[in-house]
Amino acid sequence: ARVKRVYCNMNSAAEDAKEQGNACMASADYVGAMTSYTRALSFAPKEASLFSNRSFAFLKLSLPARALADAEEAIRRRPEWPKGHFRKAEALRAAGLHEDALEYYARGAELDPSDEHLRSQCDASRLRASAQQRQERLLVAAATGAGLLFFALLALTDGGAGHAKLVGVAGLGAALGALAGVGATALRGHGRRGAVLPP
């Protein structure tokens, strides 16, 4: 009976700390909320809702890597709980990883088809992912055009450049520009992924 009483006290302490965290979130004290949820986790280290709540606090503190880590722990603790998937999607969205975010919004929506908010986030995430892909294609196209133009102008300044040389140099410029555009796109993607590397 003594062990059971200690266990109940721990739950009560965890619940009190969770309520303090919720109050801090309501008043936009995100550091206080994170601290309270961390304290609650010290009493109930397996409680998925505490990881989910702290994930939200980390997100409000612009710490997507920490938000993602806690969301993943919430999913590990309760894989069939839609909110864990939603929290993971939100962390990925904050890092600009819209295609990955869509995957987890969709998982949450599959687990709770009645959740209108999750379904609307799926639609919004599809639009963000599509816009991001379009922007990346435009970057590659612009770099290709810039490379072509620069090398064509370079060839034209050489008075003896024939048509074949002009075409060859312009083609080289387009290829180098495209390569630069692809590289820039890859670097941007790498930067977004770096934002959610484990803390």
Side-chain angles (χ1 to χ4, degrees):
R2 184 175 178 188
V3 172
K4 188 172 184 179
R5 195 165 45 245
V6 169
Y7 181 74
C8 289
N9 287 337
M10 287 179 64
N11 276 342
S12 174
E15 198 58 48
D16 289 346
K18 180 181 178 182
E19 289 307 315
Q20 289 173 355
N22 292 347
C24 288
M25 286 299 288
S27 64
D29 175 10
Y30 305 125
V31 172
M34 180 269 303
T35 303
S36 294
Y37 295 137
T38 299
R39 189 169 56 255
L41 279 163
S42 72
F43 297 116
K46 296 179 180 179
E47 181 53 47
S49 68
L50 295 175
F51 284 104
S52 173
N53 288 4
R54 191 171 69 173
S55 174
F56 187 39
F58 280 135
L59 197 60
K60 289 295 193 175
L61 290 167
S62 299
L63 297 168
R66 291 187 179 274
L68 180 63
D70 273 4
E72 288 174 339
E73 188 61 25
I75 291 169
R76 192 173 79 76
R77 301 279 175 194
R78 284 178 65 188
E80 302 304 313
W81 188 40
K83 196 167 203 173
H85 297 278
F86 172 75
R87 293 284 188 232
K88 183 169 183 175
E90 290 285 282
L92 292 166
R93 180 195 54 77
L97 298 167
H98 301 301
E99 286 184 49
D100 294 340
L102 174 58
E103 178 184 343
Y104 286 92
Y105 285 128
R107 284 186 189 182
E110 285 172 19
L111 291 168
D112 186 1
S114 67
D115 190 322
E116 292 289 330
H117 182 65
L118 274 170
R119 285 207 314 264
S120 71
Q121 286 302 327
C122 285
D123 294 339
S125 194
R126 263 187 218 93
L127 291 174
R128 285 189 294 265
S130 178
Q132 189 173 59
Q133 290 169 352
R134 197 168 38 254
Q135 184 181 37
E136 289 171 354
R137 285 191 302 269
L138 284 172
L139 176 63
V140 172
T144 302
L148 183 133
L149 183 62
F150 176 75
F151 276 77
L153 289 173
L154 202 63
L156 285 174
T157 59
D158 180 11
H163 178 70
K165 183 177 179 183
L166 179 62
V167 169
V169 169
L172 175 64
L176 289 174
L179 188 60
V182 168
T185 298
L187 280 173
R188 291 170 80 182
H190 182 70
R192 288 191 290 267
R193 291 228 174 267
V196 290
L197 286 176

